[in-house]
Amino acid sequence: MAGHDELMRRRGELIARSGRLRADWGQQAQALRAPLAMADSARAGAQWLLRNPQWPLGVLAVIVLVRPRRMLGLASTLWWGWSAWRRMRRLFGPLRLR
């Protein structure tokens, strides 16, 4: 029976340790609450835009009609950035996250 008592004591210690670790992790995870909430909001916004593409396209059309010269400059800048990105990817290969 001594072996059984030792196992039960060890089990109790492990359960207590697990409870402490869970509480510590819960406190540490609070720091992630705000960034994760922001990420959820961004994701919800992106999903809304995908479901309602008429609104961003309408805004873009109004901007193009009101300020066509500015939009040409912006389009030129975006084209240059995209081309530079493609050249960098060809030069360095695809980026890998580790």
Side-chain angles (χ1 to χ4, degrees), residues 17-57:
R17 180 173 181 242
S18 175
R20 287 191 306 272
L21 289 173
R22 193 175 296 117
D24 289 347
W25 185 79
Q27 289 174 349
Q28 292 172 1
Q30 291 300 317
L32 297 175
R33 181 172 285 210
L36 290 176
M38 241 168 66
D40 285 343
S41 296
R43 185 171 150 241
Q47 287 175 341
W48 183 87
L49 284 173
L50 290 173
R51 284 190 310 267
N52 300 290
Q54 69 275 13
W55 292 106
L57 291 175

Side-chain angles (χ1 to χ4, degrees), residues 42-88:
R43 185 171 150 241
Q47 287 175 341
W48 183 87
L49 284 173
L50 290 173
R51 284 190 310 267
N52 300 290
Q54 69 275 13
W55 292 106
L57 291 175
V59 169
L60 181 64
V62 168
I63 292 172
V64 167
L65 291 173
V66 172
R67 304 241 184 220
R69 189 169 297 215
R70 183 176 286 180
M71 288 307 296
L72 282 175
L74 179 61
S76 172
T77 302
L78 291 174
W79 181 262
W80 179 86
W82 181 71
S83 298
W85 172 253
R86 287 187 55 207
R87 277 183 260 135
M88 295 298 284

Side-chain angles (χ1 to χ4, degrees), residues 84-96:
W85 172 253
R86 287 187 55 207
R87 277 183 260 135
M88 295 298 284
R89 284 193 57 193
R90 263 188 264 132
L91 184 63
F92 294 113
L95 297 177
R96 291 186 181 90

